[in-house]
Amino acid sequence: MDARQRTPQPPDEPVLDSVVIGAGQAGLAASYFLRQRGIDHVVLDANPQAGGAWQHRWASLSMADVHGVADLPGSTAPTGSQRAANVVVPDYFEDYERWHHLPVVRPVRVERVDSEGDLLVVRSPGRTWHTRTLVNATGTWTRPFVPYYPGIASFAGEQVHAAHYPGVEHFRGRRVLVVGGGASAVQLLGELAPVTGTLWVTRRPPVWRDGFDAEAGLAAVTAVEERVRRGLPPASVVSVTGLALRPQEQEAARLGAYDRQPMFERIEAEGVRWADGRFEPVDAILWATGFRPAVDHLAPLDLRSPAGGIALVPVAGNVQGATTAVRDPRVQLVGYGPSASTVGASRAGRQAALAVSRLLASAQPSDLTA
């Protein structure tokens, strides 16, 4: 079918102006601004309850441990405390959905999004939604990344990604190798080192800081936006501005947990080996190696550039405002690339709603497809 042919409205399902996929920070912000503009939409969330990825964080992560939760538009986020982040933030999101009457439908697992003429068809098991535009806010939590190293399948111990961290007691008495150079690795080492042996390896030497450098933060986000503009896979915004030790990690530092080692060359049954032949025995490997964007369900739309990423249209003077897919302007991506942070996600939600509003106001159906 010609992508520019008008698709008749399906008889059994109303055509929505927009569908938001994901009810985390970015999805809720986008829904808030869509509702402000009177845009008929639903928010489809795969989780059984409110909270986005926060409900899946490890239980020992307190609000004092996180780097901060940005305010959702029109509200004030909870501040630091010793309460568990996987309780506080989901409660905040649940209240927010209720206060603002956001049209969240859950649990809905979106399997794919197809283009049929002027419309996008969002498919989940047993149901479809037809929509004129799409706001994708699926984040990264469902795509934990574990890099390949020779011998990885031969390791006789346990391998766990930080997304599935089972708590410090699970590792008590075992020697744990922590892989990764971000804030999660630092926090997990802070928990583990006082109760068990640890070894830390990273690809690059960590950069330590005393406080937050706003200028460095802007430079990091700008670099990510430049990659996305060129159609490259986005690099992480988080942790690129340096690492800091909090008071609760000082004991781990005293024990030498942050005496970082360079990356090993291969994994063996009982541990890891470096290129110079040095071997370290370990009982478990904890991969704090980040995530990749959860966008596989968008594959039928052919949004990726030859460089492997989804190119977004830049917004002058707003590096976190790039949300519109170059290959199909009906699709907005929030919490992707330069907006992959709680602050950026809320800002991107506003920009996405603006882009949707402008697109819907277009007079010609042919304007809705690339």
Side-chain angles (χ1 to χ4, degrees):
M1 179 184 291
D2 184 347
R4 297 185 185 277
Q5 281 185 336
R6 179 176 295 278
T7 303
Q9 179 169 324
D12 298 327
E13 291 283 352
V15 174
L16 295 163
D17 286 332
S18 193
V19 167
V20 180
I21 306 177
Q25 184 98 18
L28 295 184
S31 180
Y32 173 89
F33 289 116
L34 289 171
R35 191 172 183 85
Q36 266 198 336
R37 292 176 175 274
I39 295 172
D40 182 30
H41 72 284
V42 296
V43 182
L44 307 179
D45 186 41
N47 290 291
Q49 60 191 32
W54 287 98
Q55 63 194 281
H56 305 297
R57 305 275 180 163
W58 55 89
S60 58
L61 184 72
S62 74
M63 291 299 293
D65 295 327
V66 302
H67 291 290
V69 179
D71 295 344
L72 282 163
S75 76
T76 301
T79 55
S81 71
Q82 293 305 313
R83 295 185 61 205
N86 65 4
V87 174
V88 174
V89 180
D91 285 350
Y92 171 51
F93 283 10
E94 182 178 20
D95 289 343
Y96 187 84
E97 291 178 13
R98 185 174 63 253
W99 291 337
H100 296 286
H101 306 288
L102 301 184
V104 181
V105 181
R106 62 168 57 91
V108 175
R109 180 172 56 85
V110 173
E111 293 184 328
R112 60 185 288 134
V113 180
D114 295 298
S115 178
E116 293 185 359
D118 295 340
L119 301 180
L120 297 166
V121 184
V122 182
R123 305 185 189 277
S124 72
R127 186 172 178 186
T128 61
W129 288 262
H130 291 76
T131 179
R132 296 180 176 86
T133 66
L134 181 80
V135 180
N136 192 78
T138 46
T140 63
W141 186 260
T142 59
R143 288 282 314 277
F145 173 68
V146 175
Y148 172 79
Y149 281 91
I152 189 170
S154 70
F155 184 62
E158 183 180 16
Q159 299 187 59
V160 180
H161 191 276
H164 309 119
Y165 176 64
V168 65
E169 289 302 320
H170 181 82
F171 296 103
R172 183 179 288 274
R174 293 195 279 171
R175 193 167 195 233
V176 182
L177 173 68
V178 178
V179 184
S184 292
V186 170
Q187 292 173 1
L188 294 171
L189 284 162
E191 283 197 14
L192 291 166
V195 302
T196 192
T198 62
L199 181 66
W200 186 29
V201 298
T202 70
R203 287 192 299 120
R204 292 182 294 271
V207 177
W208 299 98
R209 59 176 171 81
D210 294 326
F212 178 71
D213 186 337
E215 184 176 337
L218 177 60
V221 173
T222 302
V224 175
E225 190 264 355
E226 172 61 24
R227 285 181 60 87
V228 169
R229 185 188 315 172
R230 293 160 54 198
L232 293 166
S236 174
V237 175
V238 182
S239 301
V240 294
T241 55
L243 303 169
L245 292 181
R246 302 159 304 161
Q248 57 265 51
E249 288 147 4
Q250 296 306 316
E251 176 61 14
R254 187 187 68 79
L255 293 169
Y258 301 111
D259 297 337
R260 165 261 181 193
Q261 301 292 317
M263 283 302 301
F264 47 81
E265 183 180 65
R266 64 178 295 106
I267 301 173
E268 299 181 6
E270 305 298 330
V272 292
R273 191 175 299 276
W274 280 260
D276 61 4
R278 181 167 63 94
F279 177 80
E280 288 284 353
V282 295
D283 303 303
I285 302 176
L286 184 54
W287 297 97
T289 43
F291 301 81
R292 295 293 182 266
V295 292
D296 288 351
H297 56 287
L298 302 180
L301 301 180
D302 192 27
L303 300 178
R304 291 190 184 276
S305 76
I310 299 176
L312 302 180
V313 178
V315 176
N318 183 2
V319 295
Q320 292 179 317
T323 65
T324 302
V326 168
R327 290 197 166 193
D328 191 334
R330 296 173 297 177
V331 179
Q332 307 294 317
L333 287 92
V334 293
Y336 176 89
S339 63
S341 67
T342 60
V343 173
S346 288
R347 292 172 178 168
R350 180 194 295 270
Q351 184 64 35
L354 175 60
V356 166
S357 179
R358 288 173 173 169
L359 195 62
L360 293 173
S362 299
Q364 298 298 321
S366 60
D367 292 339
L368 298 180
T369 55

Coordinates of all heavy atoms in Angstrom, one line a residue, residues 27-81:
G27 N 7.3 9.2 29.7 CA 6.0 9.0 29.2 C 4.9 9.8 30.0 O 4.0 10.3 29.4
L28 N 5.1 9.9 31.3 CA 4.1 10.7 32.1 C 4.2 12.2 31.7 O 3.2 12.9 31.7 CB 4.4 10.5 33.6 CG 4.1 9.0 34.1 CD1 4.3 9.0 35.6 CD2 2.7 8.5 33.7
A29 N 5.5 12.7 31.6 CA 5.6 14.1 31.2 C 5.0 14.3 29.8 O 4.2 15.3 29.6 CB 7.1 14.4 31.1
A30 N 5.2 13.4 28.9 CA 4.6 13.6 27.6 C 3.1 13.6 27.7 O 2.4 14.4 27.0 CB 5.1 12.5 26.6
S31 N 2.5 12.7 28.4 CA 1.1 12.6 28.6 C 0.5 13.8 29.2 O -0.6 14.3 28.8 CB 0.7 11.4 29.5 OG -0.7 11.3 29.6
Y32 N 1.2 14.4 30.2 CA 0.8 15.6 30.9 C 0.6 16.7 29.8 O -0.4 17.5 29.8 CB 1.8 16.0 31.9 CG 1.5 17.4 32.6 CD1 0.7 17.5 33.7 CD2 2.1 18.5 32.1 CE1 0.5 18.7 34.3 CE2 1.9 19.8 32.7 CZ 1.1 19.9 33.8 OH 0.9 21.1 34.3
F33 N 1.6 16.9 29.0 CA 1.6 18.0 28.0 C 0.6 17.7 26.9 O 0.0 18.6 26.3 CB 3.0 18.3 27.5 CG 3.9 18.9 28.5 CD1 5.1 18.2 29.0 CD2 3.7 20.1 29.0 CE1 5.9 18.8 29.9 CE2 4.5 20.7 30.0 CZ 5.6 20.1 30.4
L34 N 0.5 16.5 26.5 CA -0.5 16.1 25.5 C -1.9 16.5 26.0 O -2.8 17.0 25.3 CB -0.5 14.6 25.1 CG 0.7 14.2 24.3 CD1 0.8 12.7 24.2 CD2 0.7 14.8 22.9
R35 N -2.2 16.2 27.3 CA -3.5 16.4 27.9 C -3.7 17.9 28.0 O -4.8 18.4 27.8 CB -3.5 15.8 29.3 CG -4.9 15.8 29.9 CD -5.0 15.0 31.2 NE -6.3 14.9 31.7 CZ -7.3 14.1 31.3 NH1 -7.0 13.2 30.4 NH2 -8.5 14.1 31.8
Q36 N -2.6 18.7 28.3 CA -2.8 20.1 28.3 C -3.2 20.7 27.0 O -4.0 21.7 27.0 CB -1.4 20.8 28.7 CG -1.2 21.0 30.2 CD 0.0 22.0 30.4 OE1 0.9 22.2 29.5 NE2 -0.1 22.7 31.5
R37 N -2.8 20.1 25.9 CA -3.1 20.6 24.6 C -4.4 19.9 24.1 O -4.7 20.2 22.9 CB -1.9 20.3 23.6 CG -0.7 21.1 24.0 CD 0.5 20.7 23.1 NE 1.6 21.6 23.3 CZ 1.8 22.8 22.7 NH1 0.9 23.2 21.8 NH2 2.8 23.5 23.0
G38 N -5.1 19.1 24.9 CA -6.3 18.5 24.4 C -6.2 17.5 23.4 O -7.1 17.2 22.6
I39 N -5.0 16.8 23.4 CA -4.8 15.8 22.4 C -5.2 14.4 22.9 O -4.8 13.9 24.0 CB -3.3 15.7 22.0 CG1 -2.9 17.1 21.3 CG2 -2.9 14.5 21.1 CD1 -1.4 17.2 21.1
D40 N -6.1 13.8 22.2 CA -6.7 12.5 22.6 C -5.6 11.4 22.5 O -5.1 11.2 21.4 CB -7.9 12.2 21.6 CG -8.6 10.9 22.0 OD1 -8.6 10.5 23.2 OD2 -9.1 10.2 21.1
H41 N -5.3 10.7 23.6 CA -4.3 9.8 23.6 C -4.4 8.7 24.7 O -5.3 8.9 25.6 CB -2.9 10.4 23.8 CG -2.7 11.0 25.2 ND1 -3.3 12.1 25.6 CD2 -1.9 10.5 26.2 CE1 -2.9 12.4 26.9 NE2 -2.1 11.4 27.2
V42 N -3.7 7.7 24.7 CA -3.6 6.7 25.8 C -2.1 6.5 26.0 O -1.2 6.7 25.1 CB -4.2 5.4 25.5 CG1 -5.7 5.5 25.3 CG2 -3.6 4.7 24.3
V43 N -1.8 6.0 27.2 CA -0.4 5.7 27.6 C -0.4 4.2 27.9 O -1.1 3.7 28.8 CB 0.1 6.4 28.9 CG1 1.5 6.1 29.2 CG2 -0.1 7.9 28.7
L44 N 0.4 3.4 27.1 CA 0.4 2.0 27.3 C 1.7 1.6 28.1 O 2.8 2.0 27.7 CB 0.5 1.3 25.9 CG -0.6 1.7 24.9 CD1 -0.5 1.0 23.6 CD2 -2.0 1.4 25.5
D45 N 1.5 0.9 29.2 CA 2.6 0.6 30.1 C 2.7 -0.9 30.3 O 1.7 -1.5 30.6 CB 2.4 1.3 31.4 CG 3.6 1.2 32.3 OD1 4.8 1.2 31.8 OD2 3.4 1.0 33.5
A46 N 3.9 -1.4 30.1 CA 4.1 -2.9 30.3 C 4.0 -3.4 31.7 O 3.8 -4.6 32.0 CB 5.4 -3.3 29.6
N47 N 4.3 -2.5 32.7 CA 4.3 -2.9 34.1 C 2.9 -3.0 34.7 O 2.0 -2.4 34.2 CB 5.1 -1.8 34.9 CG 6.6 -1.8 34.5 OD1 7.3 -2.8 34.9 ND2 7.0 -0.8 33.9
P48 N 2.8 -3.9 35.7 CA 1.5 -4.1 36.3 C 1.1 -2.9 37.2 O -0.1 -2.8 37.6 CB 1.7 -5.4 37.1 CG 3.1 -5.4 37.4 CD 3.8 -4.8 36.2
Q49 N 2.0 -2.1 37.5 CA 1.7 -1.0 38.4 C 2.5 0.2 38.0 O 3.5 0.1 37.3 CB 1.9 -1.3 39.9 CG 3.3 -1.7 40.2 CD 3.5 -2.3 41.6 OE1 2.6 -3.0 42.1 NE2 4.6 -2.1 42.2
A50 N 2.2 1.4 38.6 CA 3.0 2.6 38.3 C 4.4 2.5 38.8 O 4.7 1.8 39.8 CB 2.2 3.8 38.9
G51 N 5.3 3.3 38.2 CA 6.6 3.4 38.8 C 7.7 3.3 37.7 O 8.9 3.5 38.0
G52 N 7.4 2.9 36.5 CA 8.4 2.8 35.5 C 9.5 1.8 35.9 O 9.2 0.9 36.7
A53 N 10.7 2.1 35.5 CA 11.8 1.3 35.9 C 12.2 1.3 37.4 O 12.8 0.4 37.9 CB 13.1 1.7 35.1
W54 N 11.7 2.4 38.0 CA 12.1 2.6 39.4 C 11.6 1.4 40.3 O 12.2 1.1 41.3 CB 11.5 3.9 40.0 CG 12.2 5.1 39.4 CD1 11.9 5.9 38.4 CD2 13.5 5.6 39.9 NE1 12.8 6.9 38.2 CE2 13.8 6.8 39.1 CE3 14.3 5.3 41.0 CZ2 14.9 7.5 39.3 CZ3 15.5 6.0 41.2 CH2 15.8 7.1 40.4
Q55 N 10.4 0.8 40.0 CA 9.9 -0.2 40.8 C 10.8 -1.5 40.7 O 10.6 -2.4 41.6 CB 8.5 -0.6 40.3 CG 8.4 -1.1 38.9 CD 7.0 -1.1 38.4 OE1 6.2 -2.0 38.7 NE2 6.6 -0.1 37.6
H56 N 11.7 -1.5 39.8 CA 12.6 -2.7 39.6 C 14.0 -2.5 40.2 O 14.8 -3.4 40.1 CB 12.7 -3.1 38.2 CG 11.4 -3.3 37.5 ND1 10.5 -4.3 37.9 CD2 10.8 -2.6 36.5 CE1 9.4 -4.2 37.2 NE2 9.5 -3.2 36.3
R57 N 14.3 -1.3 40.8 CA 15.6 -1.1 41.4 C 15.8 -1.9 42.6 O 14.8 -2.3 43.3 CB 15.7 0.4 41.7 CG 15.4 1.4 40.6 CD 16.6 1.6 39.7 NE 16.4 2.5 38.7 CZ 17.3 3.2 38.0 NH1 18.6 3.0 38.3 NH2 17.0 4.0 37.0
W58 N 17.0 -2.2 42.9 CA 17.3 -3.0 44.1 C 16.9 -2.4 45.4 O 16.9 -1.1 45.5 CB 18.8 -3.4 44.1 CG 19.8 -2.2 44.1 CD1 20.3 -1.6 45.2 CD2 20.4 -1.6 43.0 NE1 21.2 -0.6 44.9 CE2 21.3 -0.6 43.5 CE3 20.4 -1.8 41.6 CZ2 22.1 0.2 42.7 CZ3 21.2 -1.1 40.8 CH2 22.0 -0.1 41.3
A59 N 16.4 -3.2 46.3 CA 15.7 -2.7 47.5 C 16.6 -1.8 48.4 O 16.1 -1.0 49.1 CB 15.2 -3.9 48.3
S60 N 17.9 -2.0 48.3 CA 18.8 -1.2 49.2 C 19.1 0.2 48.7 O 19.7 1.0 49.4 CB 20.1 -2.0 49.5 OG 20.8 -2.2 48.2
L61 N 18.6 0.5 47.5 CA 18.9 1.8 46.9 C 17.9 2.8 47.5 O 16.7 2.7 47.2 CB 18.7 1.7 45.4 CG 19.0 3.0 44.6 CD1 20.5 3.3 44.6 CD2 18.4 2.9 43.2
S62 N 18.4 3.7 48.3 CA 17.5 4.7 49.0 C 17.4 5.9 48.2 O 18.2 6.1 47.2 CB 18.1 5.0 50.4 OG 19.2 5.8 50.3
M63 N 16.5 6.8 48.5 CA 16.4 8.1 47.9 C 17.7 8.9 48.0 O 18.0 9.8 47.2 CB 15.2 8.8 48.4 CG 13.9 8.2 47.9 SD 13.6 8.1 46.1 CE 13.5 9.9 45.7
A64 N 18.4 8.7 49.1 CA 19.6 9.4 49.3 C 20.7 8.9 48.4 O 21.7 9.6 48.2 CB 20.1 9.2 50.8
D65 N 20.6 7.7 47.9 CA 21.6 7.1 47.0 C 21.4 7.6 45.5 O 22.4 7.6 44.8 CB 21.5 5.6 47.0 CG 21.8 5.0 48.3 OD1 22.7 5.6 49.0 OD2 21.2 4.0 48.7
V66 N 20.2 7.9 45.1 CA 20.0 8.2 43.7 C 20.5 9.6 43.4 O 20.7 10.4 44.3 CB 18.5 8.1 43.3 CG1 18.0 6.7 43.6 CG2 17.7 9.2 44.1
H67 N 20.8 9.9 42.1 CA 21.3 11.2 41.7 C 20.3 12.3 41.7 O 20.5 13.4 41.3 CB 21.9 11.0 40.3 CG 23.2 10.2 40.3 ND1 24.4 10.7 40.9 CD2 23.5 9.0 39.8 CE1 25.3 9.7 40.8 NE2 24.8 8.7 40.1
G68 N 19.1 11.9 42.1 CA 18.0 12.9 42.1 C 16.9 12.5 41.1 O 17.2 11.9 40.1
V69 N 15.7 12.8 41.5 CA 14.5 12.5 40.6 C 14.0 13.9 40.2 O 13.6 14.7 41.1 CB 13.5 11.7 41.3 CG1 12.3 11.5 40.4 CG2 14.0 10.4 41.8
A70 N 13.9 14.2 38.9 CA 13.4 15.5 38.5 C 11.9 15.6 38.7 O 11.2 14.6 38.7 CB 13.7 15.7 37.0
D71 N 11.5 16.8 38.9 CA 10.0 17.1 39.1 C 9.3 16.7 37.8 O 9.8 17.0 36.7 CB 9.8 18.5 39.3 CG 10.3 19.0 40.7 OD1 10.7 18.2 41.5 OD2 10.5 20.3 40.8
L72 N 8.2 16.0 37.9 CA 7.3 15.8 36.8 C 6.6 17.2 36.6 O 6.4 17.9 37.6 CB 6.3 14.7 37.1 CG 6.9 13.3 36.9 CD1 5.9 12.3 37.6 CD2 7.0 13.0 35.4
P73 N 6.2 17.5 35.4 CA 5.6 18.8 35.2 C 4.4 19.0 36.1 O 3.5 18.2 36.2 CB 5.2 18.8 33.7 CG 5.3 17.4 33.3 CD 6.3 16.7 34.2
G74 N 4.3 20.2 36.7 CA 3.2 20.5 37.5 C 3.2 19.9 38.9 O 2.2 19.9 39.6
S75 N 4.4 19.4 39.3 CA 4.4 18.7 40.6 C 5.8 18.8 41.2 O 6.8 19.3 40.5 CB 4.0 17.2 40.6 OG 5.1 16.5 40.0
T76 N 6.0 18.4 42.4 CA 7.3 18.4 43.1 C 7.7 17.0 43.4 O 7.0 16.3 44.1 CB 7.3 19.3 44.3 OG1 6.9 20.6 44.0 CG2 8.7 19.3 45.0
A77 N 8.9 16.6 43.0 CA 9.4 15.2 43.2 C 9.8 15.0 44.7 O 10.2 16.0 45.3 CB 10.6 14.9 42.3
P78 N 9.7 13.8 45.2 CA 10.2 13.5 46.6 C 11.7 13.8 46.7 O 12.5 13.6 45.7 CB 9.9 12.1 46.8 CG 9.7 11.5 45.4 CD 9.2 12.6 44.5
T79 N 12.1 14.2 47.8 CA 13.5 14.6 48.0 C 14.3 13.4 48.7 O 13.7 12.3 49.0 CB 13.7 15.8 48.9 OG1 13.0 15.6 50.2 CG2 13.1 17.0 48.2
G80 N 15.6 13.5 48.9 CA 16.4 12.5 49.4 C 16.0 12.1 50.8 O 15.6 12.9 51.6
S81 N 16.0 10.8 51.1 CA 15.7 10.2 52.4 C 16.3 8.8 52.4 O 16.9 8.3 51.4 CB 14.2 10.2 52.6 OG 13.6 9.2 51.8

